[in-house]
Amino acid sequence: MLIGAHVREDDPVVTAAARGADIVQMFLADPQGWKKPPSHPQAEALRAGEVAVVVHSPYVVNLASLNNRIRIPSRKLVVQHAEVAAEVGAIGLVVHGGHVTQGEDAATGVDNWRKFFARQADAGGFAVPILIENTAGGDHAMARRFDALARLWDAVGEYGAGFCLDTCHAHAGGEELVGVVDRARAITGRIDLVHLNDSRDEFDSARDRHANIGAGTIDPEVLAAVCAAAQAPVVVETPAEGQAADIAFLRERLGP
């Protein structure tokens, strides 16, 4: 099982070694910006190296939005990031489920996702798999509650969408972690990646605040059980100073 961490440094190869990581997740550009990502200076080393790579899209992306000024640039940005993710040999591009705003029809947000996948399929597909991630907050989110996730998957599943399960997001979003893997798989048919994070805040708080394993409100053994059940690559998105310990904890519980 691949276990690693999200890193923000410019040298993910060295950082992976320092963390004892088998896989690294990274941004390719400012996570709060709309600029096209540049080619990564370590693209060749990452592509040819032994450490697996996954890329996270910018937080500004909202493919569900009914606002053309947000949705259309979001589509363009995801395609661009997928192309550069392929250059570093990434196994996928993580994209948040997004949301509509109060008073807007969530079904239209779901259809915006479907249209995006359909149009890209007509254009030859994505350069790497798109991994939709469940989110923590918002009553109008596409992937906070699993009933909403099911509606989203009915629309995009046929296009080969992947799924990234975030434990902090599920916990803060009001989804119990005991049995969460089976419930998610019943909807999506797959789990391609786990974001293994403790939560600083309580269950159903709608607050996306990550904590190192054992420093938050989730039982560490429950977190380990989620990983064991998922049998997918695991990335911790926890505070950097505790990531090596988080990875070591998981290896101890899950074995080599």
Side-chain angles (χ1 to χ4, degrees), residues 205-249:
S205 65
R207 298 189 187 99
D208 181 10
R209 297 177 180 175
H210 299 183
N212 293 107
I213 298 173
T217 60
I218 305 174
D219 182 346
E221 298 303 331
V222 170
L223 291 173
V226 169
C227 295
Q231 289 296 303
V234 176
V235 167
V236 298
E237 299 176 309
T238 52
E241 62 273 11
Q243 285 183 346
D246 291 340
I247 292 171
F249 170 85

Side-chain angles (χ1 to χ4, degrees), residues 25-38:
Q25 177 180 277
M26 60 185 184
F27 294 116
L28 295 172
D30 178 2
Q32 301 294 348
W34 292 98
K35 290 184 178 180
K36 178 180 178 180

Side-chain angles (χ1 to χ4, degrees), residues 58-243:
Y59 296 132
V60 294
V61 166
N62 184 359
L63 293 163
S65 177
L66 276 60
N67 185 336
N68 289 346
R69 296 180 180 178
I70 296 174
R71 185 183 67 259
I72 294 173
S74 292
R75 290 173 175 172
K76 183 177 181 180
L77 205 59
V78 168
V79 172
Q80 291 172 338
H81 276 257
E83 290 171 350
V84 181
E87 294 177 7
V88 300
I91 63 173
L93 175 67
V94 177
V95 182
H96 286 174
H99 61 277
V100 297
T101 60
Q102 186 173 1
E104 294 177 335
D105 186 358
T108 306
V110 169
D111 196 48
N112 284 339
W113 265 101
R114 181 195 63 77
K115 289 177 180 177
F116 175 57
F117 270 99
R119 289 173 181 175
Q120 195 61 30
D122 290 341
F126 297 98
V128 298
I130 303 301
L131 311 182
I132 301 175
E133 180 180 359
N134 62 303
T135 51
D139 292 331
H140 310 285
M142 301 295 103
R144 174 186 177 180
R145 307 284 189 187
F146 278 17
D147 57 345
L149 179 66
R151 291 190 289 272
L152 178 59
W153 227 260
D154 284 344
V156 303
E158 66 180 285
Y159 297 105
F163 182 60
C164 172
L165 173 64
D166 188 300
T167 55
C168 172
H169 294 178
H171 176 81
E175 293 288 340
E176 294 284 354
L177 289 183
V178 175
V180 72
V181 169
D182 289 341
R183 298 198 313 277
R185 277 212 185 100
I187 294 168
T188 66
R190 58 197 293 168
I191 294 179
D192 300 272
L193 180 70
V194 175
H195 282 171
L196 199 283
N197 305 305
D198 205 335
S199 173
R200 285 173 49 190
D201 293 292
E202 66 277 7
F203 180 79
D204 205 17
S205 65
R207 298 189 187 99
D208 181 10
R209 297 177 180 175
H210 299 183
N212 293 107
I213 298 173
T217 60
I218 305 174
D219 182 346
E221 298 303 331
V222 170
L223 291 173
V226 169
C227 295
Q231 289 296 303
V234 176
V235 167
V236 298
E237 299 176 309
T238 52
E241 62 273 11
Q243 285 183 346

